[in-house]
Amino acid sequence: MHHVLTSLPGPDAVAQAGAEFVAERAQAAITDRGIFHFAVSGGHTPWAMFAALTSLEVAWDAVVIYQVDERVAPPGDPTRNLTHLTEALGSAPATVLPMPVNDADLTAAAAAYATDLPGQFDLVHLGLGPDGHTASLVPGDPVLSVTGPYQGHVRMTLTYPALARARQLLWLVTGADKKAALSSLLAADAGIPAGRVQAAASLVLADQAAS
């Protein structure tokens, strides 16, 4: 997997550059296919990216947003990615398809969510943990695990085959604690979960502390 790296001064610059890239990809997808299929992960920098994105020209009524991963927690819980995604989007009229993490049978819920995924994502946003995890694909878990505990929460996640259906990956990586993990990612080191992600193209926006 080849990654294109862009190094930026700090987290704010990463968020702004990410927003501009998403807006460009959205416009291209909507022009070509009439819809923009976008899968998003959690994290502070992505929420800043979404806040910046809402001020840009985006045909939100043609945008469908999926979750890359989610914690099993009650609706509105501050640990939920969906809580922050909804806040960051504000009144933008995108269609959001949340992961069904409050269903009683999580295995069946994950299988049902898989049937709602598009044949191909136009863009998948991913983060990178200091331990090299991405989405909720974490060290020590089976490669294709769909649900599992990590850092005190059971989570639901897209798996490697689903991520591979991306026309484009967008990684946002900030902070000095990500430096070693980013180096492994760029080297396509399969020893970390992020290093096993494959897709058609990949852009990494990283701040100077991480890169």
Side-chain angles (χ1 to χ4, degrees), residues 80-96:
R80 288 277 301 270
N81 290 337
L82 182 63
T83 302
H84 299 283
L85 172 61
T86 302
E87 290 174 353
L89 282 174
S91 61
T95 298
V96 178

Side-chain angles (χ1 to χ4, degrees), residues 41-42 46 68 125-129 132-135 170-173 178 185 194:
S41 304
V68 169
H125 154 256
L126 293 170
L128 180 66
H133 85 267
T134 191
L170 172 63
W171 304 76
L172 304 184
V173 184
K178 310 289 180 62
L185 173 68

Side-chain angles (χ1 to χ4, degrees), residues 67-190:
Q67 289 191 277
V68 169
D69 65 332
E70 181 61 286
R71 295 168 179 82
V72 175
D77 190 285
T79 66
R80 288 277 301 270
N81 290 337
L82 182 63
T83 302
H84 299 283
L85 172 61
T86 302
E87 290 174 353
L89 282 174
S91 61
T95 298
V96 178
L97 297 181
M99 283 185 158
V101 295
N102 296 122
D103 285 18
D105 186 338
L106 289 177
T107 300
Y113 193 72
T115 65
D116 290 333
L117 300 179
Q120 198 166 32
F121 291 108
D122 295 300
L123 181 63
V124 173
H125 154 256
L126 293 170
L128 180 66
D131 60 358
H133 85 267
T134 191
S136 287
L137 301 165
V138 300
D141 272 4
V143 170
L144 297 181
S145 177
V146 175
T147 60
Y150 180 63
Q151 295 182 347
H153 287 276
V154 174
R155 305 185 185 206
M156 187 177 291
T157 185
L158 297 186
T159 57
Y160 292 116
L163 297 176
R165 285 150 58 178
R167 289 186 169 90
Q168 175 76 51
L169 299 177
L170 172 63
W171 304 76
L172 304 184
V173 184
T174 60
D177 61 338
K178 310 289 180 62
K179 197 173 186 70
L182 178 56
S183 178
S184 295
L185 173 68
L186 295 175
D189 179 1

Side-chain angles (χ1 to χ4, degrees), residues 20-41:
E20 292 170 2
F21 185 75
V22 172
E24 290 170 4
R25 297 296 298 194
Q27 181 177 353
I30 293 166
T31 298
D32 289 346
R33 294 176 291 279
I35 194 167
F36 178 52
H37 293 290
F38 182 27
V40 301
S41 304

